[in-house]
Amino acid sequence: MRPLLLLDFDGPLNPHAADGIPPGYEQHEITEGAKTWRVLLNPQHGTELNQLAATFDLVWASSWEHGANRLLGPLLGLPELPTILWPDRTRVRRGSWKTPYVANWVGDRPFAWVDDEIGEPEQTRFPQQLILPVDPRVGLTAQDFGVLREWAGKSFAGKAFRPHS
Ligand SMILES: [Mg+2]
């Protein structure tokens, strides 16, 4: 079973809390109807994510919902991805309001989850999975991509290619 890679947008791919434009990032203005958003994007993220797609099935887990495919993915060279929807974003007592929807969506598939608003509560809830909190001042780093590759390699490559004995 291929692992899923659940992708938050604001924070991991758009370091919205950064001071100015960090090295490697470009500022984009996105307009749809009467709305305009300013986002910071790093083209290297698109390259890295498309490479990870050899191992993971990429999924949007972003509050942009379908807007991620419509407005954001193309700017990073990403194909259209399945998208988790959040009908109700009521705060929960502990951890991310996304968690019940994530749990429902992933079923019994293994997954890695990158997001700037996850941490210990999610790791406790999903002990077998890779919970990767990202600093929204920095965004996904080369080190984070290394962690993702290593986790996928350890968890899946061996099983997938183990010869019959
Ligand atoms: Mg976020």
Side-chain angles (χ1 to χ4, degrees), residues 55-92:
T55 308
F56 290 90
D57 288 339
L58 274 51
V59 176
W60 285 121
S62 160
S63 56
W64 289 72
E65 296 188 320
H66 292 303
N69 277 321
R70 201 169 61 240
L71 303 169
L72 309 171
L75 297 173
L76 286 170
L78 295 175
E80 180 147 331
L81 302 178
T83 304
I84 305 178
L85 303 178
W86 330 100
D88 178 2
R89 301 181 190 186
T90 308
R91 296 266 157 217
V92 291

Side-chain angles (χ1 to χ4, degrees), residues 13-78:
L13 297 176
N14 170 33
H16 57 85
D19 195 9
I21 303 176
Y25 285 83
E26 297 163 355
Q27 186 173 303
H28 295 258
E29 275 208 352
I30 299 168
T31 302
E32 187 175 59
K35 287 186 189 163
T36 298
W37 300 270
R38 187 195 69 114
V39 300
L40 297 169
L41 293 174
N42 184 338
Q44 185 63 27
H45 285 170
T47 305
E48 293 273 13
L49 290 172
N50 279 316
Q51 284 172 6
L52 284 177
T55 308
F56 290 90
D57 288 339
L58 274 51
V59 176
W60 285 121
S62 160
S63 56
W64 289 72
E65 296 188 320
H66 292 303
N69 277 321
R70 201 169 61 240
L71 303 169
L72 309 171
L75 297 173
L76 286 170
L78 295 175

Side-chain angles (χ1 to χ4, degrees), residues 8-12 16 98 115-117:
D8 180 26
F9 180 77
D10 289 318
H16 57 85
K98 293 178 178 175
D115 196 301
D116 59 323
E117 296 181 272

Side-chain angles (χ1 to χ4, degrees), residues 124-142:
T124 302
R125 171 79 190 264
F126 305 110
Q128 307 295 322
Q129 314 305 336
L130 175 60
I131 300 299
L132 191 55
V134 177
D135 186 335
R137 294 168 300 181
V138 178
L140 273 168
T141 63

